[in-house]
């Protein structure tokens, strides 16, 4: 049997699991089901796999190890392929063919919405699938297919959260958000349809925070009305409102929303890192305007001791510091940004992952400005030269470019 030369991709393993489940007549969810599958595999291949191997392969038992080349070859033979390499090659050929054929059929108007839905939802979740769906998305916007966009969140295979494909989901959401900015008809659909989607998180509202876009606040209001009994949604709603209103100097409305948040936090509330930093930043805004900064030292102390900034995950730490830095920059608390960066961030710039890298790049913008504003021009220039302006994402790019342009004028 062929030796496994590289780690098998998760999408190939998912396809293998699906094919085994389709071939084997009984549901495999217990030891007895695994025993029956082992016997069936042996009868067809004359190779015996252990029950632990089967349970790990089918994710019935947690394991940090990947299937061996022997296991994958045996399972491929069970499915009537020569070996694992033959199985993967067949999958790739079929995948490319069907994805390209689907796109051509859509352009030629041969597929109904139901046809597209069935194809996408029955396919193996993969980065290629997302890329193909994004092409469909762009084409459907070009031909103004309102039905497609009203029903877009029925594509569960695209939008159901999956840790392996969270970046793919993120960029698909960003494309959809950009299209809403471009097309008024799509903006209207987003406002009326995207506030109550059927997933644990409403990605469109919670991942695409762009209050400067005119579709966002009407959408946020509908989201609030639809989720008024969910504490996390209500807290999110008021914190976004507070952030925007403070930066617009609309202090009366800011105070109304600020007062709505306080009772929600009397009982234990589990903040994620982004919401926690937003809340601390909003407290700084409130203190600066209403208390002349009397509570600033204690709030800053809370920032430095926050669990989200001190946790072991480097990416989460960087993201938390970046989020609070958006507020600190608005308040010109440059010394706090420098201290946070140099105490909490400097030794956490490796193994960040995709979002961590993006947010470190964003954070460098704030840090460079803080250095410049406190007279450390040479140090600021060194950080400025590291910044990758092409890596500003949709949520923050306008804010980042505004600061970046100040730095560029100074250093270019």
């Amino acid at each position: 049997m062929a030796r496994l030369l590289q780690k098998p991709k998760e999408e190939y393993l998912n396809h293998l699991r699906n094919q085994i489940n389709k071939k084997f007549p009984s549901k495999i969810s217990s030891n007895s089901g695994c025993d029956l599958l082992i016997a069936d595999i042996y009868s067809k291949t004359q190779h015996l796999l252990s029950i632990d191997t089967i349970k790990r392969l089918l994710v019935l038992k947690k394991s940090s190890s990947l299937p061996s080349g022997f296991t994958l070859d045996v399972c491929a033979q069970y499915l009537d392929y020569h070996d694992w390499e033959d199985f993967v090659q067949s999958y790739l050929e079929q995948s490319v063919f069907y994805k390209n054929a689907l796109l051509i059929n859509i352009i030629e108007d041969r597929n109904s919405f139901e046809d597209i839905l069935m194809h996408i939802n029955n396919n193996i979740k993969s980065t290629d699938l997302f890329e193909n769906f994004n092409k469909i998305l762009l084409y459907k916007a070009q031909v103004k297919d309102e039905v497609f966009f009203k029903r877009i969140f029925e594509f569960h295979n695209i939008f159901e959260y999956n840790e392996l494909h969270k970046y793919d989901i993120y960029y698909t959401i960003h494309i959809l958000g950009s299209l809403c900015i471009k097309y008024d008809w799509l903006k209207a659909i987003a406002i009326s349809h995207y506030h109550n989607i059927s997933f644990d998180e409403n990605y469109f509202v919670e991942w695409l925070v762009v209050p400067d876009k005119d579709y966002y606040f009407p959408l946020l209001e509908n989201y609030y009305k639809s989720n008024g009994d969910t504490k996390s949604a209500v807290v999110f709603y008021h914190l976004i409102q507070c952030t925007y209103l403070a930066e617009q100097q609309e202090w009366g409305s800011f105070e109304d929303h600020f007062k709505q948040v306080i009772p929600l936090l009397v009982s234990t509330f589990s903040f994620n890192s982004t919401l926690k930093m937003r809340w601390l930043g909003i407290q700084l805004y409130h203190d600066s305007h209403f208390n002349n900064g009397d509570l600033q030292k204690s709030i800053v102390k809370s920032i430095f001791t926050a669990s989200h900034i001190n946790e072991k995950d480097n990416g989460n730490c960087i993201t938390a510091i970046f989020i609070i830095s958006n507020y600190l920059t608005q308040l010109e608390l440059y010394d706090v940004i420098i201290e946070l960066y140099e105490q909490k961030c400097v030794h956490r710039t490796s193994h960040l992952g995709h979002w961590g890298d993006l947010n470190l790049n964003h954070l460098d913008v704030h840090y460079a400005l803080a250095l410049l504003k406190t007279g450390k021009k040479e140090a600021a220039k060194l950080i400025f030269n590291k910044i990758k302006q092409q890596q500003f994402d949709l949520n923050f790019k306008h804010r980042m470019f505004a600061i970046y342009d100040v730095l560029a004028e100074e250093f270019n």
Side-chain angles (χ1 to χ4, degrees):
M1 292 190 179
R3 183 169 62 90
L4 193 62
L5 299 178
Q6 58 185 4
K7 291 181 179 179
K9 289 186 177 181
E10 187 62 28
E11 67 180 274
Y12 303 160
L13 294 175
N14 281 337
H15 184 53
L16 180 69
R17 294 174 189 123
N18 287 340
Q19 293 304 303
I20 289 172
N21 281 316
K22 284 181 182 178
K23 184 179 181 72
F24 191 67
S26 305
K27 184 177 180 181
I28 311 164
S29 58
S30 63
N31 285 354
S32 59
C34 290
D35 285 336
L36 291 172
L37 176 61
I38 289 167
D40 201 34
I41 291 173
Y42 182 78
S43 71
K44 290 180 170 61
T45 68
Q46 303 303 302
H47 292 292
L48 188 64
L49 299 179
S50 72
I51 190 166
D52 273 353
T53 295
I54 292 295
K55 289 172 77 171
R56 287 195 299 269
L57 176 69
L58 299 181
V59 200
L60 299 174
K61 179 179 181 179
K62 287 186 178 180
S63 174
S64 58
S65 61
L66 292 166
S68 68
F70 174 80
T71 298
L72 295 174
D73 280 338
V74 169
C75 290
Q77 290 178 1
Y78 173 65
L79 297 171
D80 300 318
Y81 294 91
H82 181 264
D83 54 20
W84 172 247
E85 185 177 348
D86 185 33
F87 173 84
V88 170
Q89 186 61 34
S90 174
Y91 166 71
L92 291 174
E93 289 172 358
Q94 289 183 58
S95 179
V96 170
F97 174 79
Y98 285 121
K99 287 169 188 170
N100 290 339
L102 175 66
L103 189 57
I104 291 168
N105 286 340
I106 289 170
I107 293 170
E108 293 178 349
D109 202 22
R110 293 182 181 180
N111 288 83
S112 67
F113 178 86
E114 300 298 338
D115 292 334
I116 303 169
L117 188 68
M118 182 180 69
H119 181 98
I120 296 294
N121 282 346
N122 288 339
N123 217 312
I124 298 297
K125 193 186 289 279
S126 67
T127 296
D128 284 344
L129 180 66
F130 279 91
E131 289 176 355
N132 207 53
F133 185 78
N134 292 342
K135 293 175 185 176
I136 295 169
L137 201 66
L138 295 171
Y139 175 74
K140 289 297 187 180
Q142 186 179 7
V143 299
K144 195 180 177 180
D145 189 334
E146 296 189 18
V147 170
F148 178 87
F149 284 98
K150 285 178 180 176
R151 298 181 62 184
I152 193 169
F153 288 102
E154 292 179 34
F155 290 98
H156 291 268
N157 203 24
I158 295 294
F159 294 109
E160 279 181 343
Y161 184 79
N162 180 288
E163 183 69 19
L164 185 65
H165 293 287
K166 61 184 179 183
Y167 305 127
D168 294 315
I169 300 170
Y170 180 70
Y171 285 112
T172 296
I173 288 289
H174 271 231
I175 291 171
L176 184 55
S178 295
L179 291 171
C180 289
I181 295 167
K182 184 175 179 64
Y183 298 111
D184 286 341
W185 61 269
L186 185 50
K187 174 178 71 177
I189 289 174
I191 291 169
S192 60
H193 287 75
Y194 298 170
H195 60 277
N196 196 23
I197 62 177
S198 58
F199 303 108
D200 290 339
E201 288 185 79
N202 185 324
Y203 309 122
F204 197 81
V205 176
E206 297 175 28
W207 288 16
L208 201 70
V209 182
V210 282
D212 55 319
K213 304 307 175 188
D214 58 2
Y215 71 83
Y216 189 78
F217 273 122
L219 175 63
L220 186 63
E221 288 295 334
N222 286 336
Y223 167 82
Y224 176 61
K225 291 173 186 175
S226 299
N227 297 278
D229 58 346
T230 306
K231 184 183 283 191
S232 60
V234 176
V235 170
F236 173 84
Y237 167 78
H238 288 299
L239 295 188
I240 297 302
Q241 290 280 8
C242 282
T243 300
Y244 179 76
L245 292 166
E247 293 173 4
Q248 298 301 309
Q249 302 291 300
E250 296 180 21
W251 294 107
S253 297
F254 168 90
E255 180 75 345
D256 291 340
H257 285 284
F258 186 84
K259 287 178 178 177
Q260 293 295 318
V261 179
I262 302 296
L264 296 168
L265 306 181
V266 172
S267 59
T268 303
F269 179 76
S270 180
F271 278 109
N272 63 38
S273 61
T274 300
L275 284 185
K276 179 65 175 180
M277 293 303 114
R278 286 192 182 279
W279 174 230
L280 288 167
I282 287 161
Q283 289 180 66
L284 284 172
Y285 282 169
H286 186 274
D287 176 60
S288 176
H289 184 77
F290 293 98
N291 302 320
N292 295 316
D294 291 346
L295 302 175
Q296 185 184 107
K297 285 186 178 179
S298 64
I299 298 169
V300 168
K301 183 178 179 180
S302 295
I303 292 169
F304 275 84
T305 57
S307 60
H308 305 86
I309 281 178
N310 293 286
E311 69 168 276
K312 292 181 180 179
D313 186 287
N314 288 353
N316 289 344
C317 170
I318 295 294
T319 298
I321 297 172
F322 163 62
I323 293 297
I324 194 61
S325 293
N326 287 301
Y327 296 85
L328 296 170
T329 294
Q330 289 288 319
L331 292 165
E332 299 183 359
L333 295 175
Y334 301 122
D335 287 330
V336 179
I337 294 173
I338 292 170
E339 192 176 353
L340 268 174
Y341 191 100
E342 294 178 358
Q343 279 192 21
K344 306 291 186 179
C345 173
V346 166
H347 303 297
R348 287 176 171 267
T349 57
S350 59
H351 309 296
L352 293 178
H354 181 70
W355 267 328
D357 280 332
L358 282 181
N359 287 329
L360 178 60
N361 188 53
H362 294 148
L363 179 55
D364 281 340
V365 177
H366 288 295
Y367 181 50
L369 180 69
L371 290 169
L372 179 64
K373 293 293 185 178
T374 53
K376 304 175 179 69
K377 187 172 180 178
E378 289 305 312
K381 186 174 182 179
L382 288 173
I383 298 299
F384 172 75
N385 289 333
K386 289 170 47 185
I387 296 166
K388 304 176 182 68
Q389 55 178 318
Q390 70 275 16
Q391 289 186 16
F392 298 156
D393 72 23
L394 185 61
N395 280 357
F396 299 103
K397 69 177 181 181
H398 297 294
R399 184 184 294 263
M400 293 298 100
F401 272 120
I403 303 172
Y404 185 86
D405 289 344
V406 171
L407 295 167
E409 187 175 348
E410 183 71 32
F411 296 124
N412 286 343

